[in-house]
Amino acid sequence: MGPAEFVSLVGPSGCGKSTLLKVLAGVLVPTAGAAEVGGETVIGRPGRTAYMPQKDLLLPWRRTLDNATLGAELHGTAPAEARTRAVPLLERFGLAGFERAWPEELSGGMRQRVALLRTFLLDRQVLLLDEPFGALDAITRRRMYAWLETVWLHDRRSVLFVTHDVEEALTLSDRVHVLSPRPGRVVDTVEVGFPRPRTADLIGDAAFVRMRRRVLAALGG
């Protein structure tokens, strides 16, 4: 994965997508092999990348702003400094006016935005996002695609994105790696190449349809 590139992993359940992200996040030590980011090993070295797991994991006793700053605080940033960095980003993340809201008061999409802001505030050049929209309804997911692309285009960090949704991967990514069933291995790589920003009508484009068929064929569908 190159600098400022958005890459997705697509594959069947159990093929190792989430496991790979955990290894790259340094929270799971592999039994063999190497895992490097920027030429340096990340095996057993958490904090080298910014990792967002499948669930938002917001703490119910912390308000929006405090949940957003939690990751930075755990990595040694003083709470006041973390809040100072977070406040200017609230509007860009669609959270302005909800700084003091409890997690239970937020919609599913807003909870994911809080979790993504928490990930962004770690200030790492590589973001690992594990199915961040998996629990959302279809309409909310499509809105989140455009929002995430806008945020990513502003920061231009490298993103490794795990999803089961082929259209989601093709809509968001520069490149899609298709994995086989367990044990997972790359069986195809699709260079997406559509100009950005991408619009909702992209899914009807003939080239997009061909790419979707190619990915589905590689998945055995």
Side-chain angles (χ1 to χ4, degrees):
M1 182 171 66
E5 193 173 24
F6 199 119
V7 176
S8 285
L9 301 178
V10 176
S13 296
C15 72
K17 302 184 299 298
S18 295
T19 298
L20 176 58
L21 258 59
K22 290 176 182 177
V23 170
L24 293 173
V27 298
L28 180 66
V29 176
T31 56
E36 296 182 351
V37 173
E40 297 184 358
T41 183
V42 292
I43 293 178
R45 303 176 72 185
R48 305 288 169 165
T49 58
Y51 169 54
M52 179 179 169
Q54 291 181 9
K55 296 181 180 180
D56 61 60
L57 300 179
L58 301 187
L59 299 181
W61 58 88
R62 290 178 71 111
R63 298 179 188 271
T64 292
L65 185 57
D66 295 323
N67 263 301
T69 59
L70 180 60
E73 291 173 27
L74 291 176
H75 281 82
T77 303
E81 180 183 347
R83 291 170 69 91
T84 298
R85 289 171 51 200
V87 168
L89 296 175
L90 290 170
E91 184 171 356
R92 178 146 57 96
F93 278 73
L95 297 168
F98 292 89
E99 297 89 337
R100 293 187 54 76
W102 299 107
E104 65 181 18
E105 297 173 326
L106 302 176
S107 68
M110 294 184 73
R111 290 176 65 103
Q112 293 303 97
R113 290 190 184 104
V114 176
L116 280 162
L117 176 54
R118 181 183 61 204
T119 306
F120 269 70
L121 285 172
L122 289 177
D123 198 25
R124 302 296 187 267
Q125 288 305 306
V126 177
L127 308 181
L128 310 173
L129 308 182
D130 193 355
E131 295 195 73
F133 307 142
L136 304 179
D137 64 86
I139 294 174
T140 303
R141 285 175 73 136
R142 293 199 175 280
R143 290 174 181 163
M144 292 292 284
Y145 298 165
W147 170 81
L148 178 58
E149 183 185 44
T150 299
V151 171
W152 174 75
L153 285 172
H154 185 277
D155 285 81
R156 282 291 187 173
R157 302 192 210 179
S158 298
V159 174
L160 186 59
F161 186 94
V162 163
T163 180
H164 283 92
D165 191 308
V166 174
E167 287 189 359
E168 180 171 271
L170 292 173
T171 298
L172 290 169
S173 306
D174 298 311
R175 187 186 321 137
V176 176
H177 294 300
V178 186
L179 303 184
S180 68
R182 185 176 183 180
R185 65 190 188 283
V186 177
V187 293
D188 196 6
T189 297
V190 178
E191 301 289 343
V192 180
F194 294 111
R196 297 183 185 274
R198 296 174 182 168
T199 57
D201 59 0
L202 178 65
I203 62 173
D205 184 274
F208 187 96
V209 173
R210 288 194 296 271
M211 288 182 190
R212 181 175 57 198
R213 288 174 179 165
R214 174 177 166 180
V215 173
L216 289 173
L219 290 169

